Amino acid sequence: MLTQETRQKTKYNIKKRLLKLPGEYYKNRYQLCLLIGITDRTLIRWIETKIDQHFSIPTDQFYEIAGFLDCNPTDLINMPDER
């Protein structure tokens, strides 16, 4: 069972990785949207997806995000803290 604290955690750490890229966060976010063919609002929804939600990013786009952020796809997933 997930704790209340874990439920508030985001499923993906995309924002954290975007913030670490050189340059401005908003420009990097915009370039990522252009690369994978989505709107900024869609990316924001993905960034804000909570760990207990059943939604997931489509596989092709998930791999493109990982490529843009120069990491493995599994590095983008926040693992739940189960107790």
Side-chain angles (χ1 to χ4, degrees):
M1 178 174 269
L2 298 177
T3 64
Q4 183 65 26
E5 183 180 317
T6 300
R7 285 189 189 107
Q8 297 304 313
K9 194 173 177 182
T10 57
K11 186 181 274 191
Y12 308 107
N13 61 33
I14 297 168
K15 182 175 183 176
K16 182 175 109 179
R17 291 182 175 274
L18 279 170
L19 287 167
K20 288 183 178 180
L21 291 177
E24 293 182 34
Y25 167 73
Y26 293 102
K27 286 183 181 180
N28 291 331
R29 194 173 82 188
Y30 179 72
Q31 288 187 340
L32 177 57
C33 289
L34 288 178
L35 173 73
I36 61 178
I38 61 169
T39 64
D40 187 54
R41 184 67 207 139
T42 297
L43 182 59
I44 291 168
R45 282 189 195 112
W46 292 353
I47 288 171
E48 294 175 350
T49 300
K50 300 297 180 210
I51 208 157
D52 64 342
Q53 294 176 313
H54 294 288
F55 170 80
S56 61
I57 299 171
T59 306
D60 292 348
Q61 291 170 322
F62 195 66
Y63 275 88
E64 289 180 47
I65 292 169
F68 181 84
L69 298 172
D70 196 29
C71 65
N72 291 319
T74 55
D75 295 337
L76 296 176
I77 300 171
N78 287 322
M79 301 306 286
D81 300 326
E82 295 192 30
R83 293 179 192 211

